[in-house]
Amino acid sequence: MTKVLLNESFVEEQEAKVAFNDRGYNFGDGIYEYVRIYNHKLFTAKEHFERLLRSASEIGLELNHTVESLTSLVRELAQVNDVSNGGVYIQVTRGVAPRDHAFPTPEVTPVLTGFVKAYDRPYQKLEEGVFAVTTEDIRWLRCDIKSLNLLGNVLAKEYAAKYNAEEAIQHRGDTVTEGASSNVYAVKDDVVYTHPANNYILNGITRRVIQWVCEDENIEFKEEAFSVDFLKNADEVIISSTSAEVMPIVKIDGEDVADGKVGDITRRLQAGFEKYIQSHSE
Ligand code: PDD
């Protein structure tokens, strides 16, 4: 039986109820995180929960938790469900109140929910690469906040699904921002380019690990915006996320990226990423 997290309790999924007037439901008024579990251990939990606390603070949501308390709740959730490989979603909404856009007064207590999902690493895709399509980025201007309000991302991902692609790479005008649920990299002449971590993208934790690997490996990492044309003419293209890890893109909008094979820099980043799985899981 699956147990989920509801505030500070672990309850059977069938018995877990959230309120009709939860602001998460009415407004998407909340934030979330997704943490990977490798071999019973949480990967980069500190970075994820620091980001959760930042997201909360950016939307004026006062969360009565610390990195440590969130880590121990999520660790216990994985343990009670006996999940050795997979991931944990943790979501926080502003709470329950009659429908009114402005924050409730007096303040209400945030509602915290979480669930764990077991799955294996995507070895075949990591080896062979996957396809992507490009689409206009229609999201709001605070994509740095990991908000529950994901309609733009949902529509982009649905567009990818329609074309049997793994990911939709979004662009604002001509500038590539990020994937529907991933960060995007173009490799040209052995330099790894990615959009700067500003309000147009989520500052991915996997992106940070890739940056660490580039430092270790003496690979130049440039936080510099690039065009759709640059992306399509890159030597290698990669997306990264907690679930996709360091994922090669071998086709964009039906055209091969370079020779359509996974490149050397991608392989070095994947190998470096493996070392961080070992050193940053607890
Ligand atoms: N998504 N950009 C967006 C829009 C994302 O939704 C994600 C992650 C990322 C990569 O961030 P990270 O490396 O910290 O996972 C970038 C998660 C996996 C999700 O929503 O399920």
Side-chain angles (χ1 to χ4, degrees):
M1 291 284 257
T2 308
K3 283 215 159 82
V4 298
L5 178 65
L6 183 55
N7 298 315
E8 250 91 290
S9 315
F10 301 99
V11 296
E12 293 297 342
E13 190 178 346
Q14 286 83 352
E15 283 155 29
K17 300 264 190 298
V18 285
F20 187 80
N21 258 337
D22 191 296
R23 290 179 62 92
Y25 178 65
N26 278 332
F27 302 109
D29 185 359
I31 43 135
Y32 75 105
E33 266 305 324
Y34 181 56
V35 187
R36 192 64 182 266
I37 305 163
Y38 291 115
N39 260 323
H40 297 278
K41 294 177 179 166
L42 302 177
F43 178 54
T44 51
K46 176 173 167 283
E47 287 78 7
H48 279 281
F49 292 125
E50 279 173 0
R51 186 172 67 184
L52 184 82
L53 295 177
R54 176 188 181 273
S55 293
S57 146
E58 290 296 310
I59 67 161
L61 193 160
E62 255 177 64
L63 191 55
N64 211 5
H65 273 286
T66 59
V67 167
E68 291 71 32
S69 66
L70 291 164
T71 306
S72 78
L73 272 179
V74 162
R75 198 188 298 287
E76 200 176 338
L77 181 63
Q79 277 164 2
V80 298
N81 286 291
D82 196 25
V83 169
S84 49
N85 283 289
V88 180
Y89 275 96
I90 180 158
Q91 318 210 146
V92 187
T93 75
R94 199 180 303 280
V96 181
R99 195 181 194 286
D100 186 7
H101 285 61
F103 296 179
T105 40
E107 246 175 61
V108 291
T109 314
V111 174
L112 192 145
T113 53
F115 66 95
V116 60
K117 209 167 73 173
Y119 63 88
D120 295 324
R121 295 181 59 190
Y123 287 118
Q124 195 181 346
K125 290 177 178 175
L126 290 170
E127 186 57 32
E128 296 171 2
V130 297
F131 302 164
V133 287
T134 56
T135 188
E136 183 68 36
D137 191 340
I138 59 164
R139 300 171 303 158
W140 72 329
L141 298 176
R142 288 305 307 274
C143 297
D144 55 309
I145 298 170
K146 204 161 167 61
S147 154
L148 286 180
N149 215 309
L150 286 172
L151 200 44
N153 311 61
V154 166
L155 294 179
K157 199 64 118 184
E158 177 58 20
Y159 178 77
K162 210 168 77 188
Y163 289 97
N164 288 317
E166 187 81 9
E167 182 59 303
I169 297 179
Q170 304 171 104
H171 51 90
R172 280 191 196 269
D174 200 30
T175 302
V176 172
T177 51
E178 62 177 342
S181 62
S182 62
N183 292 114
V184 177
Y185 313 78
V187 181
K188 191 76 190 168
D189 298 330
D190 294 338
V191 178
V192 176
Y193 293 85
T194 197
H195 195 285
N198 58 18
N199 60 306
Y200 292 117
I201 69 158
L202 183 76
N203 189 358
I205 306 302
T206 322
R207 178 186 185 280
R208 215 168 304 172
V209 178
I210 287 177
Q211 196 169 1
W212 295 339
V213 174
C214 284
E215 280 162 24
D216 299 344
E217 293 277 317
N218 262 321
I219 298 170
E220 196 176 345
F221 183 88
K222 265 199 177 158
E223 298 182 273
E224 197 176 288
F226 52 83
S227 67
V228 176
D229 198 48
F230 185 86
L231 175 84
K232 291 189 173 179
N233 288 296
D235 301 331
E236 304 176 37
V237 173
I238 304 162
I239 58 168
S240 77
S241 76
T242 297
S243 51
E245 306 182 356
V246 182
M247 182 65 75
I249 299 291
V250 291
K251 234 185 231 302
I252 300 176
D253 293 337
E255 301 276 338
D256 280 353
V257 172
D259 63 358
K261 300 207 169 63
V262 178
D264 292 345
I265 296 276
T266 307
R267 290 294 183 225
R268 284 170 68 192
L269 296 178
Q270 287 180 327
F273 186 77
E274 294 297 321
K275 292 188 199 153
Y276 278 93
I277 293 179
Q278 303 305 322
S279 62
H280 282 65
S281 300
E282 292 175 45

